[in-house]
C-alpha cells in the first residue's frame, strides 16, 4: 500500500525536487567541459512552444508537494498531457541527446520520476506515463523518452530517495535551530556603537522586519559593515531568513565583510554560523586552462563520489574562507571551486561579488529562484552598482576580434565567423558618421550572429576538450544575442567606426572598399550599451526577502530608485556624520578652471594652491585628477614650483606591491602629496586615519570626457530619468568626488581640509549634490 502524506504532521525540513535529486542522484565524475547549453531564455521559450504544440487542455507548470517522514518535498513539473495521461519534463539543449553526459541524464530521470511519485500521491492514480523530452533550441525538434510506471514502484523509489536525504535533513534542521537560537542572543561585539552606527543598525533591522528595501547613505567612519551585518544576523530568526548575502562591487569590501562576520561569529556559543566566501573561479582553480573533466583534471575524477565527505567536513567546520575551501577540497581530492559552488546551498552567510545575484547567469540568483530561499542581501558601496550592472547587460562585436579569431579557427567555424565579420563590417561601413545610434538590429547582422553562435556551439560539441580563443568568444556572442532579443529604450544599439586610411577622406572612400581585407582593413564595432538597468533588476529585488544598499554616496534616493528599479516602497536613511562638521574645512578655488581647454593655463595657479595649503599646514595630502595625463602635468608643475615638497604618483599599471608602497608613504606625522586618479584604487576603500592624511585636493569635476558616445548616453539617460535631482551624469560625478573626499576623515577625532579645485563647485546645482553638512568656503 502506498504511503499517503499526513497533512497534520509539521515537516522537519523542506526541500525542492531539484534539490533532493541533486543531493541524492549526482554520481561519478565532474564533467563541466564547455557545453553550449541553452540559455534560460531559450529554455523558457522552448518550454512555451512545446506546451503550445500539445493543445489547449495541456497543463503547464503543475505544482506538486508532499510530506514524507517529516520531509516536505515540493516543486513544479513542466507539464501534464491529460489525453495521454503523461507527465512531462522538458530539457532545452543544443545538439543531440547522445552528447549529454550520462550522469546528467541520470539526474534528469531522477527529477522526472520524483515528480511522478508526487503526482501519483496527489491524484491517487495507480500508474502514470512519464516523458523526458529533450528540445533542441536551434531546430525545436523534440527527442522523447517515454515510459509507464506504477505508482507503487515510484513510491518505493521516492521513499528511498527521501531516506537517503533524511540524515542530512535532520542535521540541517538541527543546525538551523541552533543557529537561530544563538542569533536571538547575538550581542554587539564592541563595547559601544560608534556615533551614527546605532541609527544605521536600527534602520536595517526595521527594514528587514518589514521586508522593505532600504537605501542607507552613511558617511565614512561610522562602521557601516558591522552596522549592517549585525542587525540582519540578529533579525534572521524572527524574520525567518534562510541566508544573508553580503555582496560587494570591489574585492576590498569582501575582506572587511569577512572580518565583521568573524568578529560576530566568535561571540556565538559553539559558533553555529556557516560563513562562505564565494571565490572567483580564476582564483580557486588549481589547474587554470584545463577542462573540468576527468580526462583533463584529476580533481574532476570521481568528484560526486567524494563530495559527500568533503561537504560534511566543510559544514562541520563552518568558517569557509578561500583557504579553508582549498584545504578541505584538496584533502578529499576534489575541485575547490566546485566544492565552493556546492557549499553555497548550505552556508548561512555568503560573501561575494554582486555579479552572483545580478548577472544574467548569476549562481545566487539561479539558486534563489530554484530553491525559493528567503534571502536577505547587503550591497556594499552601492554607488558602484549601476556601472557594474550596466556592464553585465552590455555587449559588443569588435571587427578586430572577429577577424583575429576567424583566422585562428578551424575551417568550418572560420567561415561562420567570417560571415559575421563581414556583416559587422557592412553595418559599420554603411554609416557616414564616426558614431551612430541605430533604432533596430540590421537583419543581415542578426542572421549572421545566429549562424556564428550555432557554429560555435557545434564546434564545442565536437571538440569538448578543446581550448582556444574561439571558445572564449562563444559566451560573448551569446550575451550579444540575448541582449539583442531584449533591446529597448533602456539600451543603446550603436556603431563606432574608425576614420578611413590616411590620405583618403570619408567622401572619397567608396562603400565597396570598406570590406575588411588585408590590404584595406577597417576597424569599428557594434555595441549594445545598457543605460537604464532598472528593468533587469526589478524582478530580482522583488524576489528577495529584504535588501539594503549602503554607501557614503548613494543619493539622491529617487534617482537611485529609478535607476536600479528598486521597489516603490523602498525606505531611505541619511545617517549624519560621526564627527563635528567643523572637523572638515571645505574650500572652493572659485577662480580656477580645470576644464580641458583651460588646463595648461591654470597649472601654475593649481600648483600654487597645493603649495600654499602645504605651507599653511604641513602634512600628508592626496591630490586627485581626472586622468593620468593631467596628473603628470600637475605633478610636474608642482615639482618645478616647489621641488622641496615631497610627492609621489600613481602609475597607470601598478602591481599590488606598488599600490602598497604608495600607501605606505602616508606615514603618521609624515609630509608630502600623493597624486592619484579620481575613481581609481586610491579614491575608495583607502583608510588613512589620524595624521596619515590631513587633507585632499580634487582637481576635477569628475565628468566623463566629452565624446559622441557619452553624449548619446547622457541624452538617453536624461530622457528616461529626467533631471529632478540633477543630470544623471552630474550625480554620478559628485558621488566620485564625495567618495574621494571621504579619505580625509576616518575617525571622529580626525580633522582635515578638502580643496575643490574648480570654479564650477561654486554653482548651486553642484553644491546641491554635495553633503549637506559640508560648510563650504570660497576664499578670496
Amino acid at each position: 500500500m502506498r504511503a499517503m502524506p499526513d497533512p497534520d504532521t509539521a515537516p522537519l525540513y523542506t526541500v525542492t525536487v531539484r534539490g533532493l535529486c541533486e543531493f541524492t542522484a549526482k554520481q561519478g565524475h565532474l564533467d563541466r567541459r564547455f557545453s553550449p547549453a541553452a540559455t534560460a531564455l531559450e529554455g523558457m521559450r522552448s518550454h512555451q512552444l512545446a506546451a503550445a504544440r500539445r493543445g489547449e487542455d495541456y497543463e503547464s507548470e503543475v505544482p506538486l508537494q508532499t510530506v514524507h517522514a517529516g520531509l516536505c518535498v515540493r516543486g513544479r513539473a513542466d507539464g501534464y498531457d491529460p489525453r495521454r495521461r503523461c507527465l512531462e519534463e522538458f530539457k532545452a539543449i543544443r545538439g543531440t541527446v547522445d552528447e549529454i553526459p550520462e550522469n546528467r541524464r541520470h539526474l534528469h530521470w531522477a527529477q522526472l520520476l520524483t515528480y511522478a511519485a508526487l503526482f501519483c500521491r496527489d491524484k491517487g492514480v495507480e500508474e502514470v506515463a512519464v516523458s523526458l523530452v529533450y528540445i533542441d533550441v536551434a531546430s525545436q525538434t523534440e527527442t522523447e523518452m517515454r515510459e509507464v510506471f506504477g505508482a507503487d514502484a515510484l513510491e518505493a523509489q521516492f521513499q528511498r530517495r527521501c531516506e537517503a536525504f533524511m540524515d542530512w535533513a535532520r542535521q540541517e534542521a538541527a543546525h538551523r535551530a541552533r543557529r537561530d537560537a544563538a542569533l536571538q542572543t547575538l550581542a554587539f561585539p564592541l563595547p559601544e556603537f560608534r556615533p551614527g552606527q546605532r541609527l544605521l543598525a536600527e534602520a536595517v533591522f526595521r527594514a528587514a522586519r518589514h521586508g522593505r528595501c532600504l537605501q542607507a547613505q552613511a558617511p565614512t567612519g561610522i562602521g557601516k559593515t558591522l552596522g549592517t551585518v549585525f542587525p540582519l544576523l540578529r533579525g534572521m530568526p524572527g524574520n525567518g531568513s534562510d541566508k544573508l548575502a553580503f555582496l560587494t562591487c570591489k574585492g576590498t569590501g569582501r575582506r572587511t565583510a569577512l572580518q565583521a562576520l568573524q568578529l560576530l561569529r566568535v561571540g556565538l556559543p559553539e559558533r553555529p554560523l556557516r560563513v562562505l566566501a564565494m571565490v572567483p573561479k580564476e582564483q580557486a582553480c588549481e589547474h587554470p586552462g584545463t577542462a573540468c573533466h576527468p580526462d583533463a583534471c584529476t580533481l574532476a575524477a570521481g568528484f560526486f563520489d567524494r563530495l559527500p565527505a568533503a561537504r560534511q567536513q566543510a559544514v562541520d567546520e563552518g568558517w569557509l574562507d578561500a583557504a579553508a575551501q582549498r584545504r578541505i577540497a584538496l584533502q578529499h581530492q576534489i575541485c575547490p571551486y566546485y566544492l565552493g559552488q556546492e557549499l553555497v546551498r548550505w552556508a548561512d552567510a555568503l560573501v561575494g561579488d554582486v555579479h552572483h545575484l545580478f548577472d544574467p547567469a548569476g549562481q545566487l540568483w539561479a539558486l534563489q529562484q530554484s530553491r525559493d530561499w528567503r534571502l536577505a542581501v547587503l550591497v556594499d558601496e552601492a554607488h558602484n552598482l549601476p556601472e557594474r550592472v550596466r556592464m553585465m547587460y552590455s555587449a559588443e562585436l569588435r571587427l578586430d576580434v572577429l577577424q583575429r579569431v576567424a583566422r585562428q579557427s578551424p575551417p568550418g567555424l572560420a567561415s561562420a565567423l567570417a560571415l559575421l565579420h563581414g556583416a559587422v563590417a557592412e553595418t559599420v561601413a554603411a554609416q557616414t558618421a564616426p558614431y551612430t545610434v541605430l533604432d533596430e538590429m540590421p537583419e543581415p547582422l542578426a542572421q549572421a550572429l545566429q549562424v556564428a553562435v550555432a557554429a560555435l556551439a557545434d564546434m564545442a560539441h565536437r571538440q569538448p576538450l578543446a581550448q582556444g580563443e574561439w571558445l572564449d568568444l562563444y559566451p560573448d556572442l551569446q550575451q550579444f544575442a540575448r541582449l539583442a532579443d531584449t533591446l529597448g529604450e533602456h539600451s543603446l544599439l550603436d556603431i563606432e567606426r574608425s576614420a578611413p586610411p590616411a590620405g583618403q577622406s570619408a567622401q572619397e572612400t567608396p562603400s565597396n572598399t570598406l570590406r575588411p581585407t588585408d590590404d584595406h582593413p577597417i576597424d569599428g564595432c557594434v555595441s549594445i550599451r545598457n543605460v537604464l538597468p532598472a528593468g533587469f533588476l526589478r524582478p530580482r529585488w522583488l524576489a528577495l526577502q529584504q535588501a539594503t544598499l549602503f554607501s557614503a554616496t548613494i543619493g539622491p534616493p529617487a534617482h537611485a530608485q529609478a535607476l536600479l528599479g528598486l521597489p516603490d516602497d523602498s525606505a531611505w536613511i541619511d545617517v549624519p556624520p560621526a564627527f563635528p562638521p567643523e572637523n572638515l574645512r571645505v574650500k572652493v578655488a572659485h577662480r580656477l578652471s580645470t576644464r580641458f581647454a583651460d588646463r595648461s593655463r591654470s597649472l601654475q595657479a593649481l600648483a600654487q594652491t597645493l603649495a600654499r595649503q602645504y605651507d599653511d599646514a604641513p602634512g600628508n595630502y592626496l591630490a586627485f585628477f581626472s586622468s593620468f595625463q593631467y596628473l603628470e602635468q600637475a605633478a610636474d608643475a608642482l615639482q618645478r614650483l616647489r621641488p622641496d615638497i615631497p610627492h609621489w604618483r600613481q602609475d597607470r599599471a601598478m602591481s599590488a606591491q606598488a599600490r602598497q608602497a604608495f600607501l605606505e608613504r602616508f606615514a603618521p606625522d609624515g609630509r608630502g602629496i600623493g597624486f592619484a586618479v579620481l575613481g581609481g584604487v586610491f579614491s575608495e576603500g583607502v583608510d588613512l586615519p589620524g595624521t596619515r592624511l590631513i587633507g585632499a585636493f580634487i582637481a576635477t569635476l569628475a565628468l566623463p570626457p566629452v565624446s559622441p558616445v557619452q553624449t548619446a548616453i547622457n541624452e538617453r539617460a536624461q530622457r528616461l530619468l529626467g533631471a529632478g535631482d540633477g543630470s544623471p551624469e552630474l550625480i554620478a560625478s559628485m558621488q566620485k568626488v564625495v567618495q574621494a573626499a571621504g579619505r580625509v576623515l576616518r575617525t571622529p577625532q580626525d580633522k582635515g581640509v578638502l580643496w575643490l579645485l574648480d570654479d564650477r563647485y561654486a554653482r548651486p546645482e553642484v553644491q546641491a549634490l554635495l553633503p549637506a553638512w559640508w560648510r563650504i568656503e570660497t576664499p578670496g
Side-chain angles (χ1 to χ4, degrees), residues 179 242-243 274-276 320 343-350:
R179 184 201 78 178
D242 296 316
K243 294 181 188 298
R274 299 172 185 162
V275 178
L276 176 75
L320 300 166
L343 294 175
V344 171
R345 296 159 172 81
W346 315 112
D348 302 306
L350 307 166

Side-chain angles (χ1 to χ4, degrees), residues 85 148 157 178 236 374 383 433 465 542 576 637 666 741 776 780:
R85 291 188 297 175
V148 178
Q157 189 177 86
R178 287 195 307 273
M236 283 180 78
R374 293 175 61 82
H383 63 280
L465 296 181
L542 295 175
F666 295 90
I776 299 176

Side-chain angles (χ1 to χ4, degrees), residues 2-61:
R2 296 191 304 277
M4 300 303 292
D6 181 0
D8 298 325
T9 303
L12 173 74
Y13 191 84
T14 299
V15 65
T16 63
V17 168
R18 180 174 178 175
L20 175 66
C21 294
E22 285 181 345
F23 190 93
T24 59
K26 280 189 173 181
Q27 59 188 20
H29 306 311
L30 177 67
D31 186 356
R32 301 291 295 186
R33 294 171 292 181
F34 185 87
S35 176
T39 65
L41 182 60
E42 290 171 333
M44 186 186 307
R45 288 177 176 173
S46 296
H47 288 196
Q48 291 170 348
L49 290 171
R53 288 192 289 266
R54 279 153 172 76
E56 294 183 359
D57 58 346
Y58 189 75
E59 300 174 25
S60 296
E61 296 290 319

Side-chain angles (χ1 to χ4, degrees), residues 64 76 150 200-201 207 258 330 340 383 385 422 493 532 556 572 598 619 621 629 632 644 653-654 661:
L64 297 167
R76 288 180 180 271
L200 173 62
L258 287 170
L330 296 184
H383 63 280
L385 185 60
L493 173 64
L532 181 65
W572 162 262
D598 299 331
Y621 293 84
Q629 182 183 30
E632 294 292 340
D644 59 307
M654 297 182 79

Side-chain angles (χ1 to χ4, degrees), residues 396-432:
E396 63 181 13
L397 301 173
R398 298 195 63 86
L399 278 171
D400 56 342
V401 173
L402 292 172
Q403 188 173 54
R404 183 178 68 252
V405 177
R407 287 173 173 171
Q408 298 172 358
S409 299
L413 178 58
S415 60
L417 293 179
L419 178 67
L420 177 59
H421 180 265
V424 174
E426 290 286 355
T427 304
V428 171
Q431 312 309 314
T432 58

Side-chain angles (χ1 to χ4, degrees), residues 419-484:
L419 178 67
L420 177 59
H421 180 265
V424 174
E426 290 286 355
T427 304
V428 171
Q431 312 309 314
T432 58
Y435 178 77
T436 307
V437 177
L438 300 182
D439 294 328
E440 59 183 5
M441 180 74 67
E443 187 59 30
L445 177 56
Q447 292 178 0
L449 178 62
Q450 294 301 323
V451 170
V453 169
L456 281 162
D458 180 66
M459 182 61 66
H461 273 303
R462 288 190 285 110
Q463 299 185 21
L465 296 181
Q467 300 291 319
E469 198 170 0
W470 63 267
L471 200 56
D472 298 330
L473 179 65
Y474 180 79
D476 297 337
L477 296 193
Q478 265 201 324
Q479 170 81 338
F480 196 98
R482 281 196 299 267
L483 294 175

